[in-house]
């Protein structure tokens, strides 16, 4: 079955960067776009970006342009997100998800930004 | 950017009642609208894709309708396990966006 397994929780200081991974299995990695979505504590879902696993092309939400990067490694069927210049407002659970209709989701990775 | 406006923000409902949640898009998105259920401390779960297409494994009491700018999620005969927050999401144009969510509480 389709699985998206994310890396573990992170604690970072303001101004630092964080990199989170999402390993896909149970389907052909290059057959579907993959996304990152985040959710701040007690808040709603926020779409961050999309990556084409075939050629690595990306598109990001304007809010994150300039400090957000998505990459992929086809040899390990893994995508990554890196968010830089972290601030307290970036404290959230970060999810990866598959397909334009977000059919499958990772388990979420809590990123805490605190001094 | 397409803005999705959900209503209501919160609904308190007794079991077996019908729940109706609406999602309005700021411009036409055809049928590129999807619905999710999220329970506390869980990842969101896809309920309906492309406005009205059912998803395998999702109970038949969940249904969706609409096109263009106005969409509806209906939960027939609500069960206790349906207590959750529900979100709409559009994949018509980038950047993709979500509605603000509707929290459904069981009385």
């Amino acid at each position: 079955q389709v699985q998206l397994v994310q890396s573990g929780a992170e604690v970072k200081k303001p101004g630092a960067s964080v990199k989170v991974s999402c390993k896909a299995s149970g389907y052909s990695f290059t057959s579907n776009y993959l996304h990152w979505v985040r959710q701040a504590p007690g808040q709603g879902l926020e779409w961050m970006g999309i990556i084409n696993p075939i050629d690595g092309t990306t598109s990001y939400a304007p809010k994150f342009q300039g400090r957000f990067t998505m990459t992929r490694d086809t040899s390990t069927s893994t995508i990554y997100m890196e968010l830089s210049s972290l601030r307290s407002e970036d404290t959230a659970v970060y999810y990866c998800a598959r397909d334009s209709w977000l059919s499958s989701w990772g388990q979420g990775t809590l990123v805490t930004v605190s001094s | 950017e397409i803005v999705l406006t959900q209503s209501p923000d919160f609904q308190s409902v007794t079991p077996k009642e019908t729940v109706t949640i609406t999602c309005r898009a700021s411009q036409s998105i055809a049928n590129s609208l999807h619905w999710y259920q999220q329970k506390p401390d869980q990842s969101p779960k896809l309920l309906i894709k492309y406005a009205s297409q059912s998803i395998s494994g999702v109970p038949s009491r969940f249904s969706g309708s609409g096109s263009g700018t106005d969409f509806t999620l209906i939960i027939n005969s609500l069960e206790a396990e349906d207590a959750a927050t529900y979100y709409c999401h559009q994949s018509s144009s980038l950047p993709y966006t979500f509605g603000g969510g509707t929290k459904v509480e069981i009385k």
Side-chain angles (χ1 to χ4, degrees):
Chain A
Q1 75 282 20
V2 174
Q3 274 197 303
L4 300 174
V5 179
Q6 300 180 218
S7 50
E10 302 265 10
V11 179
K12 296 293 182 181
K13 293 194 183 302
S17 297
V18 67
K19 190 170 187 176
V20 178
S21 67
C22 169
K23 183 174 176 59
S25 63
Y27 74 101
S28 174
F29 177 67
T30 54
S31 65
N32 302 103
Y33 285 77
L34 288 150
H35 310 250
W36 287 99
V37 175
R38 78 176 185 180
Q39 186 170 38
Q43 302 300 308
L45 301 171
E46 183 173 32
W47 185 86
M48 300 181 71
I50 186 173
I51 187 165
N52 181 341
I54 295 175
D55 58 10
T57 54
T58 56
S59 180
Y60 306 139
K63 174 177 180 177
F64 301 105
Q65 288 276 4
R67 68 183 189 105
F68 178 65
T69 304
M70 294 177 68
T71 55
R72 98 292 189 214
D73 181 343
T74 55
S75 68
T76 59
S77 299
T78 301
I79 65 167
Y80 301 88
M81 60 142 273
E82 185 166 17
L83 189 62
S84 62
S85 301
L86 289 169
R87 33 207 187 234
S88 59
E89 310 89 87
D90 294 317
T91 294
V93 176
Y94 290 76
Y95 295 101
C96 58
R98 167 186 171 244
D99 285 328
S100 293
W101 55 93
L102 309 181
S103 60
S104 304
W105 294 67
Q107 83 275 21
T109 297
L110 175 62
V111 175
T112 303
V113 182
S114 174
S115 54
Chain B
E1 169 173 319
I2 295 174
V3 176
L4 297 179
T5 303
Q6 276 186 246
S7 61
D9 294 333
F10 176 83
Q11 196 161 10
S12 184
V13 190
T14 56
K16 298 190 178 179
E17 272 193 71
T18 294
V19 172
T20 301
I21 299 170
T22 64
C23 180
R24 174 163 288 175
S26 59
Q27 64 191 75
S28 178
I29 57 173
N31 69 338
S32 297
L33 190 286
H34 321 291
W35 291 97
Y36 306 87
Q37 175 193 66
Q38 187 180 33
K39 297 181 179 179
D41 299 319
Q42 293 186 17
S43 301
K45 172 188 172 184
L46 177 67
L47 293 177
I48 299 287
K49 68 177 183 180
Y50 292 105
S52 61
Q53 294 181 23
S54 58
I55 302 299
S56 174
V58 174
S60 59
R61 62 182 179 274
F62 292 93
S63 65
S65 64
S67 67
T69 60
D70 293 305
F71 301 87
T72 302
L73 173 70
I74 293 176
I75 312 172
N76 283 307
S77 193
L78 190 81
E79 298 190 6
E81 67 182 29
D82 300 333
T85 301
Y86 294 84
Y87 295 93
C88 58
H89 159 244
Q90 67 83 19
S91 63
S92 173
S93 65
L94 294 168
Y96 291 174
T97 48
F98 286 92
T102 297
K103 185 173 183 178
V104 174
E105 173 193 88
I106 309 298
K107 284 181 182 174

